[in-house]
Amino acid sequence: MCGIVGYIGGREAYAILIDGLKKLEYRGYDSAGVALLGPAGLKVIKSRGEIAALEGKVGENIPSGTIGIGHTRWATHGAPSDINAHPHCGCSPQFAVVHNGIIENYLPLKQWLQAEGHHFSSETDTEVLAHLVEQYYKGDLFEAVSAAIKKVEGSFALVAVCEQEQGKLVCTRKDSPLVIGLGEGENYIASDVPAFLNRTRRVCILEDGEMAVVTAGGVEVFSAGGEPVQKKVSEVTWDAGEAEKGGYPHFMLKEIMEQPRALRETMRGRLLDGGKEINLAELGFTPAQCRQIGRICIVACGTAYHAGLVGKYAMEKLLRLPVEVDLASEFRYRDPLLDPETLVLVISQSGETADTLAALRLARRRGNRVLAITNVVGSSVAREADQVLYTWAGPEIAVASTKAYLTQLLSLYLLTLYLGKQRGALDGESLAAMGAALYKLPSQVETLLAREAELQEIAAYLAPWESAFYVGRNVDYAVALEGALKLKEISYIHAEAYASGELKHGTLALIVEGIPVIALATQSAVLEKTLSNIKEIKARSGHVICIAREEELSFAAEVNRIFTVPAAPDIFMPILAVVPLQLLAYYTAVARGCPVDKPRNLAKSVTVE
């Protein structure tokens, strides 16, 4: 969840570390710190708050050093504070460590180290790592880190620096991401590529258990057993501007506006001839394997879970296969029934979501085929799944996911049509019609984005309220869940989503005069029932904001406000219906003065349980 950077080379490291941390602040921002190794030795500076607070603390007294590590934190063990901020040192200031993950056995390790004479100053699990490195140091930092991690249970991405070895950084990882950027006479380490993308595009990705010694002149990688590893060097093809705001006031708005492009990128090479042909040969499924699937189990968290709910509706309707959707955090603990014919489908934007990874590994241990939908090439989910369907959304920096959600939906639709073709569940005419409808979606999203001013007006009504409700039937209910999540996570308005048919089973008691109720009405099979539910809300003086198909203007007379979306086949309407909900949440948060890209208590990638 935290962001790590490291630099070693011929330039002053402080500005490079700060620049990298700012690009990783979406991974955590409750505290930050740096450790610089220079002529005066190892200097550690850290501060509670955002990176700007750290810069203010440093002021004009910038420490010198061409080797350094930095960290921006999302608190797990220990409240946000100067003391709990990273980097952490041992008893002496000769070692500094930054860490992302959770050390599950930190307490017995801490007790053992205290018995050995070590004194702790923070409440964090990470400080144990610094003391372990110090405990095992016998003149070789690599050997000390190697010995330390053998004592550790849990997840970690770790970078260590030692005052007595001024020419190296040592890093390693297990279940938390870490990448190395290769420069000329300098090298970088980071949790994520955007930290150094403006400095180098050549990267190598550490696998679980691997360790690396990084110097200004090169990188040596070793397996968990200590054997040298020849790493593949990849070239990052992202436009560096994709990882910046591009002139928008917030990353979230930029990413909402990028959605037509992201959809087209996800379609590229997969939806051919204007949508007439579906090509997912990249999955390597044989027709026989597609026909052998007897059940699909979708596992995900948060927004990805909501995408999975939409996928359930699509797959059951079009494939006539039973589909279950599980929260990854609950999946393992119910001892799921996974027969050999069950395909497990995991969805994760980052590919590093801890609970989703754990579910994937459980399914693999049970012998099930796992297909992953993810945005990040080389992520843990991508490497460990049997097949991968990449979303190609590009970097998503805002904590609140938008373009990743739309591309996850599109990927689920593409997968459904592909399986329908392979299994003979969909005829050629139906496939061509649905493919053509998918092909139109990016252009339809563009028309919605051009109407953002209408959503600003609606947001002005919503902003003063402390509660709001979202309702919908059928697949609209799944979209309502995502809309409510977006509003609550960035505007801090208490927002709940309900299946419209459940209103009479208790929820109507919460309707008071003027309270905002966002009603989705895009599903033709249940429009009359949806209208009936809207009338129930209006009869109790609720303020109904309706998201409806453009041909359903008859709803206008029954609601307080209406925002229409272009028509598409019912099953594809979630891609269109969610866009105004994203913009509504965004402009409501702006109107309330909330930190849109950095909502309190949240971080982008949930890499710990």
Side-chain angles (χ1 to χ4, degrees), residues 362-533:
L362 172 62
R364 291 293 304 277
R365 288 197 300 272
R366 297 277 184 90
N368 290 87
R369 181 180 295 274
V370 178
L371 168 61
I373 294 177
T374 186
N375 189 38
V376 181
V377 176
S379 62
S380 297
V381 161
R383 295 195 307 276
E384 296 187 31
D386 295 290
Q387 278 91 22
V388 184
L389 192 58
Y390 289 110
T391 57
W392 305 123
E396 189 175 69
I397 306 301
V399 169
S401 179
T402 53
K403 63 178 181 175
Y405 175 72
L406 253 65
T407 55
Q408 287 165 359
L409 291 183
L410 178 58
S411 299
L412 286 163
Y413 292 140
L414 290 170
L415 177 63
T416 300
L417 297 187
Y418 173 75
L419 290 176
K421 178 182 178 181
Q422 297 297 316
R423 293 170 60 89
L426 296 170
D427 59 40
E429 184 177 347
S430 298
L431 279 168
M434 284 187 280
L438 280 182
Y439 195 78
K440 287 171 58 179
L441 286 173
S443 297
Q444 291 177 310
V445 171
E446 284 173 337
T447 67
L448 289 171
L449 295 175
R451 297 165 54 200
E452 60 178 311
E454 296 176 47
L455 279 309
Q456 287 179 266
E457 294 175 9
I458 298 174
Y461 179 85
L462 188 55
W465 287 85
E466 293 303 322
S467 290
F469 297 100
Y470 289 69
V471 296
R473 282 180 175 267
N474 195 265
V475 74
D476 276 344
Y477 170 53
V479 179
L481 287 165
E482 176 60 13
L485 175 61
K486 285 290 146 303
L487 187 69
K488 70 178 80 171
E489 69 182 332
I490 63 168
S491 76
Y492 310 150
I493 292 174
H494 171 251
E496 294 297 333
Y498 294 96
S500 300
E502 291 296 295
L503 286 170
K504 291 187 288 291
H505 296 276
T507 309
L508 277 174
L510 298 174
I511 301 299
V512 296
E513 184 174 354
I515 195 166
V517 180
I518 295 87
L520 288 109
T522 74
Q523 298 300 296
S524 56
V526 291
L527 278 178
E528 289 185 5
K529 293 185 181 298
T530 299
L531 179 57
S532 176
N533 297 138

